[in-house]
Every structure is written in structure tokens, then in C-alpha cells.
DNA sequence: ACATAAACGCAATATTTTTGCGATCCACTC
DNA sequence: GAGTGGATCGCAAAAATATTGCGTTTATGT
């Protein structure tokens, strides 16, 4: 992933991050480029991996996933094999929306999306109690999702 | 947000969540609907708020935000005014990518995206030390972002 | 069985994206 | 300081995609 981004790129990124369906001619007006130039830049940004993907954000409630839970996990061994196996068990689980490997009091932070508590309970059995490398974990239940997403502060600072 | 989603809706949601740029005729083939029907369903799902928005996911590294940090926060008072003010101070900060209000050992979980430690340091001054309602907080530094995003497990279970 | 509303497919239309082409702008060489 | 190569541009044509009118079908409630 090379490439230094110029001011046009950054403004385009900020815009498509906000709304990926803004037509390229509107983007062009906004940043003062032709539609074609916008198109080519977006294509390049995609190929370079600057834009990882385009996605529709779906309301969790609407599809039955009304419960968000955050778990912190400490592992027994940070030996690479064990660690990777544990990490993988987390990332492949569809209900694990996010997984961070962290330095600090805990080794992993996980964000779960589930339909109800019982479902989370089952997941803890499988992912935590069922994994000898998980030493301990702690659960935080989200009462509100005040801000979510993957938005980056482009052009903020 | 009324509406119960049928099997078509769910499959469309799963698809556009995966890749929002899949043409509607391809979606139609995949789920066995005409392009027009796909179009009308997606439009309806958008209007109903089931699809919250369309967005481009940008690689943090590519725009200089190479550091992800997770912070847990305990507040002094959960009195509604104070709580809301604190919550708001978090959510309006562009570097706070995510903010959850939680039950459990901590009251808030925040995900920060920053360029370097010093930037996080400044943010703690402003958001935590500068807020009398923040009793204590803890910082976890992400060494790797193993799974990120807002993907929901549609049709997984 | 029947009326009504909702959703469908087809095909025309509108919008958006993509590309060919010549022009322009730099950075570098000679 | 003119010449060359590469990158990017804008314009306009072409291709792809999204949207809509319309007649038909399907589901629902009486």
C-alpha cells in the first residue's frame, strides 16, 4: 500500500465514507474535479486498498440482533500457536463483530452481536470456557450503542 | 421501524452488507428476483431504516490513523444530565470511532482511532481528565485489529 | 369465491459509471 | 532551455446500472 494521498483523495475519501452512494458527478462538483477524474481516483484508491470495501450498514434491531456485548479476555499463554488459535476462534465466529488483540490489562477485546443473552451464554461456553487458553474474561453489556461504525476522522486534524 | 423481513430481504441484506456495489441484476440472479424487484426492496429497506446507510470502509493506515485504542471509563455520577453530557463529549469527538454505554464493571467503552500515542494522550486530557464526571478510565492499546466493522450475522443462525 | 393491496416481471427510460482520446502539466535528461 | 516520458486532466461517447410505468400475478382478509 504505497501512494501518498493528495487533498482531492482525502476529500473524496471523507465523502464516500460518509455516503458511498453519492454520484461521482456530485463528488466532482464538491471537490472541483470532473466526473471522470473522480471515477479514476476512486478506482485507484480501491485498487491500492485505501478503500477496503463498500458496505451497507444494517440496523441490528431490524434483523433481530438487539443485544451488543463487549468482552475482555485474558489468555493463559501468549505462545504464538496458542495465541493464533485463540484469535482465530474469535474471528471466525459470525457473532463476533470485532476483535482486537491488545496490550494492557487484557489480551483481547471482543464485540459481540447477539439476539439475546442466552445466545451470548452459549458463545461463552464455546469460545471461553471451551478454550483452555482463556484464563479469564469479563462481560460488559451495552445498554446503548451511542456511536458505532468504522468512520475515520479524515480532514479533522 | 416496522416490517418483518422475508427470506429475500435477508439474503439481499446479507449480500449488500458484504459488498454494497454488487449490481442489482446480479443480486437478482443470486436470490431469484428480477432487477426491478431487487431495486424496490432495497429502496424500501433503506426507507424503513433497515439499511442505515452505505459507506466506504477506509484503511486506517492509509490515512495516517495507524493506532487504535480502546478505553473503558467509569463515571462519577449517572445522573441523567451529567451522563448525557459525558456521553455527548465522547460521541462528538471525531477520534472516538465507537462509544458504548455499558452495564458491568465500566460505564463506557470507547474505541479511539489516532495517529500516534501523543494524540491519544491529548484526548485523555480533554475527555477524561478534563471531565469531573469521569472517575477513572483504563487504556488498552490495540496491537492488531483482527476483525473490525459492523457486519451482522445474517442468515448464520 | 371475491375484492383489495402488495409485489412481481418486462421493457422503456433515466441516471451513473466507465473509457477512448487529445491536451496539459511536471520532473527529469541532455 | 528544448525534448521526453509519465501521470492526470476534461470532454464526450459508450457501457453499465438503476429506476419507473404498466399490465399481471400473488397473497390476504371478508
Amino acid at each position: 500500500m504505497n501512494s501518498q494521498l493528495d487533498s482531492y483523495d482525502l476529500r473524496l475519501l471523507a465523502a464516500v465514507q460518509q455516503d458511498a452512494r453519492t454520484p461521482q458527478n456530485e463528488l466532482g462538483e464538491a471537490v472541483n474535479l470532473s466526473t471522470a477524474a473522480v471515477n479514476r481516483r476512486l478506482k485507484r484508491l480501491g485498487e491500492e486498498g485505501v478503500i477496503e470495501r463498500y458496505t451497507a450498514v444494517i440496523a441490528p434491531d431490524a434483523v433481530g440482533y438487539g443485544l451488543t456485548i463487549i468482552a475482555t479476555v485474558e489468555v493463559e499463554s501468549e505462545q504464538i500457536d496458542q495465541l493464533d488459535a485463540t484469535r482465530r476462534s474469535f474471528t471466525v465466529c459470525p457473532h463476533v463483530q470485532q476483535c482486537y488483540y491488545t496490550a494492557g490489562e487484557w489480551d483481547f477485546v471482543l464485540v459481540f452481536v447477539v439476539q439475546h443473552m442466552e445466545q451470548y451464554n452459549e458463545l461463552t461456553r464455546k469460545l471461553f470456557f471451551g478454550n483452555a487458553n482463556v484464563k479469564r474474561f469479563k462481560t460488559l453489556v451495552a445498554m446503548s450503542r451511542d456511536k458505532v461504525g468504522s468512520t475515520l476522522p479524515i480532514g479533522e486534524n
Side-chain angles (χ1 to χ4, degrees), chain A residues 69-139:
Chain A
I69 286 178
I70 294 155
T72 53
V73 178
E74 185 183 352
V75 297
E76 201 71 56
S77 155
E78 298 206 56
Q79 193 208 336
I80 194 68
D81 302 349
Q82 310 239 9
L83 192 68
D84 280 348
T86 299
R87 184 205 317 273
R88 181 157 178 74
S89 77
F90 295 156
T91 56
V92 299
C93 175
H95 295 268
V96 173
Q97 189 178 69
Q98 297 174 50
C99 173
Y100 302 92
Y101 175 52
T102 57
E105 189 177 339
W106 300 93
D107 298 312
F108 286 99
V109 175
L110 304 175
V111 178
F112 286 89
V113 184
V114 293
Q115 296 170 297
H116 40 68
M117 256 309 175
E118 175 52 22
Q119 191 168 44
Y120 176 67
N121 200 23
E122 285 170 23
L123 288 168
T124 63
R125 280 209 183 67
K126 188 172 69 170
L127 297 176
F128 301 155
F129 295 112
N131 181 345
N133 194 37
V134 169
K135 184 190 260 181
R136 65 189 183 108
F137 70 96
K138 194 153 283 190
T139 297

